Each structure stands twice: as C-alpha cells, then as structure tokens.
Amino acid sequence: MSKKLKTTQQSRRGFLKGVGAAAAAVGASATPVQAVAAITEPKKRYGMLIDTRRCVGCHACSVSCRSENNVPEGKHRSWVEYTEKGTFPNATLHFLPRLCNQCSDPQCVSVCPTNATHIRDDGIITVDADVCIGCKYCIHACPYDARFLNPETGAVDKCDFCLDRLEQGKEPACVATCFNRARIFGDLNDPDSTISRMVASNAVSVLRPGMGTLPNVFYIGLDYADEHDIRFPRQYIRVTTHRDENIRR
Amino acid sequence: MHELTWGMPVIAYLFMAGLGAGALTTSASVLLRGGQSGKYFSIARYGAFIAPIPVALGSALLVFELGSFQAGHWFRFLNLYTVINLSPMSIGTWLLTIFLGISVLYAFTFLSKDACPGDKQDGLRRLAAWVGIPLGIGVAIYTGVLLGAMPARPFWNSPVLAMLFFLSALSTGVASIILVRALLHRKHASAQAEAHYHESGYILSATDTLLIGLELLAIFLFLMYAHLTIGSVREAATVILAGGELSVLFWFWVVVLGLLVPGIIELAILVPSIVYHRAYRSHRVIEILVPVVVLVGGFMLRYVVVIAGQITHPIGL
Amino acid sequence: MKAEAVKADRQAGISRRGFLGLCAAMGTGAALQLRSFKAIGKNNDKPGSWSRGEVIPSTCNMCVNRCGIQCHVVNGVLEKIDGDYHNPKTLGGTCAKGQAGIMTLYDPDRIKYPLIRAGARGEGKWRRASWEEAYEYVADNLDKIMDKYGPEGLLWSSSTDLTEIFFLKLGVFLGTPNFARHATLCLASRNVGYFGTMGGVPDSDLANAKYIIMFGANRLESFELPYNRDLISGIENGAKLVVVDPRMTVTAAKGTWVPIKPRTDMALTLALMHVLIKEDLYDKDFVDKLTVGFDALKEHVAQYSPEWAEKETDIPARTIVEMAREMAVAAPAVVVFPGRRSSWYTNDTQFRRTLPMLMALLGAFDVRGGNFVNAGKVKLGEFDWEMAPFDVAPCVDGFDEGPFPLAAHDDGGYVMRRDAIIDETGKYPVRGWMIYKQNPLAAVVDGNRTLKMMEKMDFICSIDVQPSQTAWMADIILPETTYLERLDPIWTTGGKVKFISIRQPVVKPQGEARTILDIIKGIAAAMDKRRTFDPPMSKVFDFTMEDYVDKQLAPLPIDRKTLARQGIWMPGQQKWKLGAYRRGEKDFRTPSGKIEFVSERFRRNGYDPMPVYEPPAEEAGRQRLVTGRYAWFTHSANQNNRWLNAIHPENDIWINPDVAREKGIKDGGYVMVRSRVGKVKIKAYVTPRIRPDTVFICHGFGTNSAGQTTLYGKGGADQVLMESKADVITNNQALHETWVDITKV
Ligand SMILES: Nc1nc2c(c(=O)[nH]1)N[C@H]1C(S)=C(S)[C@@H](COP(=O)(O)OP(=O)(O)OC[C@H]3O[C@@H](n4cnc5c(=O)[nH]c(N)nc54)[C@H](O)[C@@H]3O)O[C@H]1N2
Ligand SMILES: Nc1nc2c(c(=O)[nH]1)N[C@H]1C(S)=C(S)[C@@H](COP(=O)(O)OP(=O)(O)OC[C@H]3O[C@@H](n4cnc5c(=O)[nH]c(N)nc54)[C@H](O)[C@@H]3O)O[C@H]1N2
Ligand code: SF4
Ligand code: SF4
Ligand code: SF4
Ligand code: SF4
Ligand code: SF4
Ligand SMILES: [Mo]
C-alpha cells in the first residue's frame, strides 16, 4: 500500500518537473516545439511487475534470457527460486522469478569507480561493457545478487531489461516468453500503462525494501523465504534455485 | 551463498596497502616527531623504504585480478583514471596513486648513503612526510571504507570496520619496521649506538602494543555493535562467533595469535621499562617473532573479513 | 559455433553502435565526466543499431504441442526463438524447451553423419558412413530379414509426429503388421475409456470453469497448450482447482492438493458419484436426455460410500462429500479433466470411464466452463499414395485377433509385443527393428527387458537427431534434420479455434543430416535394387515435401509461400459453438448415441459394463514408484540439452521426510532403489510434497549413451525399475505398478 502511494507521488512529481522544465524552456525563449516535447514526453521509468500467482516456475524466462543475451553457461541474468514450506500434507510451494530490480537508488551505481554502471534516463541501470574494468565492486554492492562477471567480456553483466529489444519496440525476452503472462513490463511513469494500473490496483511488494534501493521490479503474491525463516526450527523451509548449485538458502 | 568473487589477490592487496600505508605513516610521524635532532631517523628510513613496495605490489595484484585484465583487456583498468566520483574505489584509486608517488619521493630522500637529518634533502623529506601522514592514514582507512560502504554486505557494513582496518594497518606497518630492522640489525660497535638501537625499539614496541590494545577494543566494539543491532549485521556476525564457519580462523589466528600473543609478549618486555624505568631491551628472536605474528594476524584479519563479507548477505524480505 | 557467430556479429554491431554513441556524446557536450574517447566510442546505451536479421515463423517440435515460433536468423545462424503472437494457442509464449531449441540444433553431441556400428552393440564404437553406404546397409539388412522371415519379421516403431506418416508408409508397403506406436506408451487407455463412454475425448473450457478437478494431470508442468494458460486464467477468474495426486505438483500447488493413495482414484470417482446421486445433486435433465443406464449406475455406486472410499483413498469422507457438493454448486461449469498420460495402472481404461460419467452426472458437458467437443480441425487435402495397402500377416502377438478388441490395433501394444518377441511365444520370429523418433529403451517399462528384445534382433536402425539411449544400442544411426532445418507436413488443430501451421527450415542442416522423407526415399530406392514392388518403391515416394504440402493446402484458399510467410492460417469462420448436443442436434459416437453409464460394448467384449473397483495390492515397508516430468524436459529427449540440463542437471527421488528419517536418508544423499526387476542409484530429495507410501522419479535420466556427454553419468533411470505391467483392456503400459525398496548408500 505504501508502495502504491509512493509510485503515484513520484510520477506526479515527475510530471511537475516536466512542466517546470517546459516553463523554464519557454522562459529561455526556446521554440514552442521543444516545450511541447518536454510536456508530452515525460521521463520514462521502466519497471516490471511479476504476478507470482500466475507464475508456474517453468524457467522459460531464464532460458529465453540466456538465449537473448548470450548469457554464458553457469551465469544468470534471470533465475527462478522455488520456496517450499510446511509439512505433509500441508505443504506450500511458491515461485519467485528474479532479475535485476533496476533500482531507483542503486548501490551498484554508487560504488562503481568508472561510471561503467550508470542509470539511463529511462531508469534502466546498465553496464557499459567497454568501460567496466571488472573490479566486481558492484557485485558486492547489489543486495540482490543480480550481477555477475561475464568471463567473455571481462565486464560485469546483468539484466538490462533487454535494451536491444526495447529499442526495437519489443518486450523484454522473458516477458514475451512467459506462457502465463506472469510478467508485465512498461513505463511506471505513465499512469495509463498496464503496469502502472496493475501496481496501483494490487497489493504489490518489492524485495528487501529495507535496503533503500527503491526497486522497480514489483511482485504480486510474493512469498520469499530467507535465512531467518530457514533457521526458524518449527517450520520446514527450503529454497531452491537452479542459479547455482550452491545456492540453497 | 554468494560466489567468492574477491579472492586472495584482493585480500593480499588490502593487507599490503594497509601495511605500506602504516609504514609510511609511522615513518613520517617518527621523523617529524624526532624534530631536527633526527632522533628516530633510522626508523624513519626503514619505514620509508618499506612503504612503497607492498603498495605497488598489492596494486599490481589487484590489476591482475580485474575481470577486464583476465579477459585480455590489459589496459582497461586505466578507465579508473578517467573518472573521479564518490565511489570509495575511485577515491581510493586516486589516493593510492598519489600515495605511491609521494612514498617513492619520500623514499628517494633517504636514498643517499649518507642521508642524515638536516642534509640537502631534508626540506623535501619533511614536506613529503607532512603530506605522507594524512595520505597514509587515508589509504589505511580507505581499505576499510571500501568494504564498509555496502549495506548489501552486512558483515562489512559496520563503521567500526574502517577503524579496525586503520589500526591494523598502522600496527602491521610498525611491525614491518620492527621486523626489517631486526633482520638487518648487526651488533653495534659502540655501546652508545647499541643503546640507541634499543631505545628507538622501545617507541616502536610501545606504539605497537598500544595499537594492539586499540585493535582489541575495536573488535570488541565490532561485536558489540553487531550484537546490539538486529537483523542482517547481527546474523552476519555469527560466522565468526562460536560455531560459525570462520570462528576458528578468527579467534585463533586473528585474536589469539595476531593480537593477544604479541601483545602479551611486548607488554611483558615493556612493563619493566614503564613501571621501573629500566632500560628497554629486547631479544632478537622476539624482535623477529612478534612482528611476524602481528603480520600474520593482520593478514588473517583481512582474510576473515573479506571472506565473511562474501558468505553472508542481507536477510529478510 | 553459435557463440562465435554471435560474437562476430556483436562486434560488427558494436562499431556501429560506437558511432552513434559518439554522436550522442558530442551532442551532450556538457557531460561532466572525463571519459576517454575510447570509452565513449563504445557506449552501450545505443544498442538499437543491432538488428536481429531475418524472422522466420515456424512450429516448435521440442515436444508434442507444436507451438508457433518466430526464429531470428542472423547470417544463417539461429540466434533467438520467440513465441508467435499470432498463434492462438500460445499467444507469443514458449516454454523453456521451446527456447532451448537452439541448443538442440547446435548441440555438439548431435549426430551429423550416418554412423555404422564398429564395435559390439552399445560399446560406442562407430564408423562414419556416406548416405549411399547407409542406405545400402539398411536395405541389405531389411532384405535379409524379409528373405528369411518375411516382412513380418520386422518391428516398426515410432512416436507421433507430423512426419511419422512417411516412416509408417514404408513399413506398410514393405508389408509388416508389427507397429509399436506412441499411444501404447501414453494415452491408449484414456482414449478407449472415453471412446467407450462418450465416443471421444472432450476438450476442457478451463478459462471459464468454476470448479476444475484433475486426476494426476499435471497441466502446469506437463504442458498442453492452451490448457496450461487457460488453467491459470481460470484460477484467476475464481475457479476452484482441485488436484488429486499423490505428490504436490506445481499444478497442485496452485490449487487444493488432495494427496490420494495411488491407484485408488476410481474409489474416489465412484464415491463422488455416490454422493451426487444420494444427495440428489446430479443434473437430472442432462442425465435423462443425454445418458443411458442411470438406474444401473445408481444401484452400482450405492456400495461406494464416502466412508468406504476414505479407507481406500486416504481422503477423509468429509472431504469427499464436500468435493461432491462444491462440484454440484459449481455445475455445470465444472471441468472433469480427462488427463493425458494414462499409462499408470492395469485398470486404467475402467478408471478413465468414470471421468465422463462424473462429468455427465454434473451436466458439465457442452456448456461454457465445462467440457466440450471442439468444432473439428481444418480439412486438409489428402495425399494419394500410389501403392495401396495389401494383405499382411497377422501381428506377431496376435494383438489384432483377440486379446484387446477395443484397442487401436495399428498402434500395437508395446508390452505384449515385446514379450512375444523375447519369449518366442509369438506366431513367428521378429528379427529386425526400425525406430523413428522414439526412444523405447527409455520410454517403455522395464528397460532391461527392452535390452533383451534388442538381443533378439539381427538388425536395429534408429533414426534420431542425437545419440539417444536407443540409438546408442543400434547397428546404424541415421541422423535426421531437426525441426529447425526441414519442411514438415502441415499441422491442423482444433479446440476453441481451428487453424493450420507450418514447420519450415529456418537454417541449413548441420553436417549431413537429412529429412525423413529423403531418408525413406534413399531406403526405398535401395530396396528396389533388391526386390520388386508394384509399383516400385522409389516411385511411391517420388515426390518432395513441397508437393506433399501443396496437396494438403490444395482445398484451402492459401498457398505454401503465403503460409510460409505468415506461419499460421485461420479460416474466417470458426465454428466453436456450444449446445448442439444439448439441443439434440448431435449424437455421441457411441452405440446408443448417448453417454453410456453402462456399456454394452464393454459387456460384449467380456469387460465389466460398469467400472468395478478392485483395491490395489499393498506392499508394507516399500514405496510405490510413480513417474512424470518437469516443465523443462520432454520425456527422455532433451535432458542432454545444455541449457535445459543446467536447470536440473541430475534427477532425484522424492521421499517423504518421515520415511527418510526412518531409513536414515539425508536430503541430497544417495540412495539405492530396488525393485523386482532392477536397481538404480539416485539422489534423494526429501520433501513434504509427497505421500509416505509413494516415491517419484522424473523420467529421462540415467542414460546408457556415453554419446550424450552432458547427461551421461547423471541421475537414475526410472524405467529400469518398472515391472512389465500393462492395462488389461488396451495393453497400454502401466508405469506406476512397481513397488520399490529404498536404502541409504
Ligand atoms: N518411465 C517413464 N516412461 C514413459 C513416460 C514417463 O513419464 N516415465 N512417459 C510416457 C509417455 S506419456 C510418452 S508419450 C512416451 C514418449 O516416448 P518417446 O516417444 O520415445 O519420446 P522421447 O523419450 O521423447 O524420445 C523421442 C526421441 O526422438 C528423438 N527426436 C526428437 N526430435 C526428433 C526429430 O525431429 N527427428 C527424429 N528422427 N528424432 C527426434 C529424440 O532425440 C528422442 O530420442 O514415453 C512414455 N514412457
Ligand atoms: N514439459 C513437458 N510437457 C509435456 C510432456 C513432456 O515430456 N514434458 N509430454 C507431453 C505428453 S506426451 C504427455 S502424455 C503429457 C503428460 O502429462 P500428464 O498426463 O499430466 O502426466 P504426467 O506429467 O506424467 O503426470 C502424471 C502425474 O500423475 C501422478 N500420479 C501417479 N499415480 C497416480 C495415481 O494413482 N493417482 C493420481 N491421481 N495421480 C497419480 C503423478 O504423481 C504425476 O504427477 O504431457 C505432455 N506435456
Ligand atoms: S516464464 Fe513465466 S511462468 Fe515461467 S517461470 Fe518465468 S515468470 Fe514464471
Ligand atoms: S538490483 Fe542490484 S544490480 Fe540491479 S539496480 Fe539494484 S542494486 Fe543495481
Ligand atoms: S565491475 Fe565494472 S561496473 Fe562493477 S563497479 Fe567495477 S567497473 Fe563498475
Ligand atoms: S528483461 Fe531481458 S535481461 Fe532482464 S531478465 Fe528479462 S530477459 Fe533477462
Ligand atoms: S510446449 Fe514448449 S516445447 Fe512444446 S511445442 Fe510448445 S514451446 Fe515447444
Ligand atoms: Mo505422452
């Protein structure tokens, strides 16, 4: 709920900013065309909404991502976690597809010494593979384990919302591939986009809000287990991901 | 569990950069403290020669470990110098680079066989020392800040860590001077020179003991801080507590071997001088052994911290 | 191979990108950073100049669903497979396997040349042969066997696919009666059960249902399009999903899991009918108009009370009563899901019969949200085969002459046929085995017994794309092109929407792989050299796939070229309308024209006219082994695909925590699983998602083929453990009739 408020506030603020900028531009005797452009094309903020109720943990997204982005074997831009809880016969099973959260306040960006990792105007965090020195600092700074070193490029790699496809007007690969339409992609700053409407009309949550990263990947029906739950002795919990054989947390 | 993306080279680098920074800071401060009398000139000289070497070596190691370097882009690391931003690594890079320059310059002023207080290079030497102290402190602290800056790594994300690394850097710096001095030491012809040797040894050992004490305090604070918070930091700290994956490494190698053992030995030797004002005297074996364990402990501290930070992560949604 | 091509392309792309990046940087001269030109020159922010090249629509073949796909080909290299948005079944999605088609195409383990065995069978020593040599080799062996034993000395086995027809025709024209097809491994018993009761297997309107009950069907992992997506939508629209399964599948996780004791489903369906009738909750109007034998059914199910069923099924009587009542409230918008794989038990046909009966009591047929019969497929042109089938010998096992009167005789019965061949109890010896697109060594119960049958064979030929377990044991492997390298016959499908789709080559074949039609032509020509056929065999197959497709398309207002461009074609008029049966405009294809609670046909053939429950055998201290699949594997076909294998490198056996504790088994530790016919070492997966009396193994691992380098040595083979059991009415193999002992190793 609080998230929802935040979103609308932000977009309103974004809009006001746009108007302000336009006004300033007019004041500085810019051509009216520019002013119109500033109003009608407010800054985009791309985001994703994953409806875990529709997700069946089928991994189509992970494989599609691998294929689309040439992700080397053993590395992952996109992965799915299975969370199993309870005792027979009252067990539950939930799925949590993961990717970079394209945070609005990303710590990966703050620590990058070369600015290879940076925020684009549309909110997407990208790594410039030709600038990145592979110091791996950002890998540690990301609270979501979303980054990895790509041994082929020597640069750090991660989900970039499939920039290549976006620029050609296509949905990200994982979104297009999902049979069950569990993933919705769009501009969070556009109040009429499907994602904005869905975010506004559902109880959504983000991963680790306490980290202050302001993720732009939202979830419906999130059931996430962590270390703490696993240690909690009264309940059986297992989280399995196929991301790394060692990851069982 | 997170992949261990920072391995030995980074650990070695953090240790060596700290050591070099500590050596320069110690050297420069004793030089300046000795004033025109040049009381501790020889100590300063050892420190000056030591300082740039580990820092240069460590930095080289770091470059070798860069993903870009390993993928065959040999010079991409120069991109570090195209940007100045608020990343601790960016700041650290510039600090380190200036540090290297200054420390080489500083060492250069000692190079001449008959370098002595008040010689031709004296002005330059003092200038370098004045600049070197804050630089050394900066580099020493930065190694801790580098790790401490990330909430995503709860074990590292403690303000005490920078302090601990700073103290450890100074302590290993001092230890390195003691060690090198002892290794190169030959019996002096004159009793006076011999006495001077021991007298100046006193200040090193005293400093070292003080630093060790402060380090223990910092570790106590670190644990206290972890214990008193809830959530990620506290969970993370359990890896070095009893039953944790790194508890033996930490308690035996870092605390007992690296801090308590040398601390107690040095104290045992120092106490007579402090309390009974006896002339300070140490054995060569001890002068070698103590700094060696201090260095080993300092290295293990970096090792445990770097690994612990990577095998722990935030908990909670 | 792909990676290199991709890299080269990326590099080309980068420089172009670089130029744009530079322009951008100059435009925003106020950039505060001191970036080197080199850095700016390769700014990743402008990747738009990288285009994906050509986009070719086609039809996936990684499993049997045939989803529409769009293949992005750059410089002759397939870079990406996307779903086809225009395809009404998939609406642009694919599953993980569909995505990984690229890896099946470029799999380093693929067979690219004909291989003739050079060592002992299964030793893995192969000699590369030319196609000419391969054809002669096959023809020689077929000829020899036909000389000695007649054409009936050949076993001809294949699994359903668009291209299967050519392979089958060769067998038919050579004159063998002995086929062994997919249905007898999979769904024969479901088909016969449904046909016997209502004349066909209905579709399910999952998206609009209010209540959905599935018996073991694992729609959210074992994909059947568009059912899986419709099911998700149905749940979102408020349907109650009840999944009856001894283990909690993904499907069960999305609904209410009813962990039934295995092999007792019929007790549950009978008890549900009992409650519906006793509490007067059934749809009288529907029953009156559209069924026969209700009174007999009423009397029959009176004995099957919920209390009785509780003891059989382990489901509380209260739950059963609630289920029946909830269904009745939701009726007629109830889907009683027919399921697909029914190769479970020896009594499967009779169990499947109870499903349309339950559906009929609820009146849940021919209505929105219930089951329905689709409007049929698009009518394609018929291809005229020049050679007419002629009289052939009876089947080796006499399958066509008596024991399974209701089964589809052309499909054969794998288990019975295998017994007849191994034990020489058949009418004659069978010594040659032609296998197309099937992996019987993995797919048939009791793998060791299949090996025994192989020992009987003088000649085994496998036509496959990879060194499958079966191919590894063959005398010759003929490499077919994958679905991404060939034109296949047109596919037509029904459901709510009917349409046709094309599968066409998107890249050149790897190595010397050839299409099945070319392979059949080669064998036919070589046979002509040895025997006389009338007309000559090569004349029968003297056409191209293009000709075949053109014939199929002849009656339709679309030509091959246009279809190749758009991938699918839909007739403007879609006839999916409900109510024809209810209005009496259409009859069921049963003898009575109605849904038959009592089947005279069954009675006539010596079967119970109404399903009679018999309790399963119990083996205390042991577990019943059940099998199935994960969403990213197809049977045994792509566990060796590197991208898919990476998701699940090794299969494991699901064990209930209580059982594990009792036996001292640790999660992730290895166990030895023993049955009467085999033993397998496999990793334990201790989970509360399975009953204590049941264990589960995902099918397709434990390969004997060292040629499958990614898979070899990983996991355990379930079929090796399974006893040779089959359904009594269809001889459909029964995969869940085996009890196993599990011990820690
Ligand atoms: N234990 C156990 N046994 C089972 C099942 C189970 O769940 N567990 N499931 C049963 C069911 S439902 C079924 S339908 C059957 C399926 O059994 P099969 O029809 O044998 O299916 P697969 O095991 O997938 O083997 C298909 C073979 O065809 C090859 N192939 C794939 N594409 C092509 C192609 O384009 N051309 C050629 N020439 N070959 C190709 C593959 O490499 C593979 O070797 O298995 C049944 N058997
Ligand atoms: N991803 C994927 N999708 C596929 C296929 C594939 O290979 N991979 N194959 C396709 C084919 S050919 C087929 S036939 C279908 C098969 O699809 P389904 O018909 O759904 O069959 P299975 O997936 O084998 O699932 C069988 C389920 O039955 C349960 N079961 C076992 N014993 C009993 C019992 O006594 N009672 C009940 N109620 N349940 C029981 C098992 O636990 C298992 O979950 O999938 C199709 N779709
Ligand atoms: S493709 Fe969709 S349904 Fe499958 S795992 Fe990914 S998000 Fe879930
Ligand atoms: S998820 Fe991690 S990598 Fe992605 S933007 Fe946030 S901090 Fe950066
Ligand atoms: S690895 Fe690359 S992107 Fe990450 S912090 Fe270092 S230079 Fe920046
Ligand atoms: S948006 Fe693209 S890069 Fe990101 S997870 Fe999805 S497919 Fe991968
Ligand atoms: S379900 Fe998957 S593998 Fe099967 S046809 Fe569709 S995309 Fe291909
Ligand atoms: Mo099947």
Side-chain angles (χ1 to χ4, degrees), chain B residues 12 18 23 38 43 74 79 117 123 125 207 233 243 245 272 283 287 316:
Chain B
I43 296 179
W74 315 118
N79 279 344
R125 185 181 300 132
T207 313
V233 177
E245 288 161 73
H283 285 291
E287 281 201 319

Side-chain angles (χ1 to χ4, degrees), chain A residues 2-18:
Chain A
S2 67
K3 201 74 231 170
K4 181 182 136 192
L5 276 175
K6 188 148 218 166
T7 310
T8 39
Q9 273 172 7
Q10 276 184 358
S11 61
R12 204 172 308 134
R13 227 185 293 138
F15 177 69
L16 287 178
K17 245 195 236 159

Side-chain angles (χ1 to χ4, degrees), chain B residues 76 79 81-84, chain C residues 33-36 38-39:
Chain B
R76 198 181 282 162
N79 279 344
Y81 296 105
T82 59
V83 174
I84 302 178
Chain C
Q33 286 145 23
L34 308 146
R35 273 224 181 127
S36 71
K38 186 170 163 247

Side-chain angles (χ1 to χ4, degrees), chain C residues 376-382 489-493 498-502 548-564 566-574:
Chain C
K377 302 172 176 179
V378 178
K379 282 250 161 359
L380 294 173
E382 288 277 337
I490 297 302
W491 181 52
T492 160
T493 181
K498 58 180 172 185
F499 63 93
I500 61 171
S501 77
I502 191 167
Y548 190 91
V549 169
D550 287 343
K551 277 257 164 59
Q552 285 184 300
L553 292 177
L556 303 179
I558 183 159
D559 58 32
R560 179 160 47 82
K561 291 242 162 62
T562 318
L563 186 59
Q566 61 193 49
I568 66 160
W569 177 82
M570 260 181 264
Q573 188 131 40
Q574 294 283 349

Side-chain angles (χ1 to χ4, degrees), chain B residues 169-202:
Chain B
L170 291 184
S171 148
T172 50
V174 173
S176 68
I177 297 176
I178 300 180
L179 180 65
V180 172
R181 213 171 70 105
L183 285 175
L184 299 182
H185 174 61
R186 274 183 208 89
K187 265 254 181 281
H188 288 273
S190 70
Q192 197 207 346
E194 190 64 20
H196 179 71
Y197 172 81
H198 286 291
E199 195 194 335
S200 52
Y202 169 76

